Amino acid sequence: CGYGYLCGFLNYFDPSREIIGMDYDEDKVTVADNCIKKSENLRFETADIREWDLPESDVYFFNDVIHYLRPEEQIHLLHQVNDKISGNGMIVIRDGIVELQDRLKNTKLTEVLSTKWFKFNKTTNDLSFLSAKAIERFAQENGYGFELIEHSSKTSNVLMILKRK
């Protein structure tokens, strides 16, 4: 959830939604939990996504987080989500992809700055950027449609939307 911006927006837009924002960084969760005017349906948790007991949900957002996992952990996480998602569920992934090699170097640079220099983000292993083809294959194998939206001309960050068919 980072500092809770997306969770706060979704809560503000519809306070009746139950929203759980989770982040590995306890400091970010503390800020998110204390800076947002929120309904009782929004809460924040500190956890490692590799060990978190995913709640059942209609929608999962992964915003700049999956590249912190090793490739086998990435696919394992998606399978866990697939087991917990409701019938018409959706998975939204915003992350850098390897297919945009010319822009991936900029994405990697921003991550090195945020994890090594400024220590804005925490990591326990090397970064592993996603393959959009692998995510699309996962989508097809598990009954999801797949849409990729490029939103940066400078980095390899994209939005991947997986919707149940």
Side-chain angles (χ1 to χ4, degrees):
C1 68
Y3 291 108
Y5 300 119
L6 178 60
C7 297
F9 171 78
L10 294 170
N11 181 249
Y12 179 76
F13 187 79
D14 184 353
S16 69
R17 287 184 180 139
E18 184 178 339
I19 300 168
I20 303 169
M22 187 276 297
D23 200 287
Y24 180 71
D25 188 332
E26 187 175 352
D27 293 337
K28 288 181 181 177
V29 171
T30 300
V31 170
D33 206 24
N34 287 290
C35 287
I36 297 173
K37 181 179 179 184
K38 59 185 183 175
S39 79
E40 61 192 30
N41 290 331
L42 171 60
R43 73 177 199 270
F44 296 96
E45 296 182 10
T46 303
D48 184 330
I49 200 165
R50 295 169 291 195
E51 300 168 3
W52 194 43
D53 185 20
L54 290 165
E56 291 187 16
S57 183
D58 297 329
V59 180
Y60 288 89
F61 286 93
F62 297 103
N63 197 10
D64 290 326
V65 65
I66 294 184
H67 64 271
Y68 288 103
L69 307 176
R70 293 187 305 266
E72 65 276 9
E73 293 171 329
Q74 295 170 356
I75 297 301
H76 178 73
L77 175 63
L78 291 176
H79 283 290
Q80 286 181 302
V81 166
N82 190 50
D83 291 342
K84 297 281 188 161
I85 203 162
S86 69
N88 293 331
M90 180 170 42
I91 304 168
V92 180
I93 302 169
R94 185 208 179 264
D95 220 311
I97 59 170
V98 297
E99 285 83 355
L100 299 175
Q101 277 296 314
D102 57 325
R103 292 184 262 165
L104 184 60
K105 65 180 181 280
N106 292 334
T107 304
K108 287 180 177 179
L109 175 61
T110 64
E111 287 300 325
V112 166
L113 291 172
S114 73
T115 59
K116 306 266 189 246
W117 267 78
F118 300 113
K119 301 194 187 290
F120 178 79
N121 291 323
K122 297 177 182 179
T123 185
T124 57
N125 47 273
D126 291 336
L127 303 179
S128 182
F129 289 92
L130 302 170
S131 163
K133 290 184 189 325
I135 301 301
E136 185 175 16
R137 187 173 34 255
F138 169 86
Q140 291 171 347
E141 291 171 356
N142 290 281
Y144 294 90
F146 177 84
E147 180 180 7
L148 186 141
I149 301 169
E150 290 187 39
H151 60 86
S152 172
S153 61
K154 305 264 188 254
T155 70
S156 67
N157 291 327
V158 299
L159 196 62
M160 292 176 275
I161 302 170
L162 289 69
K163 289 184 186 175
R164 284 283 168 119
K165 294 180 182 179

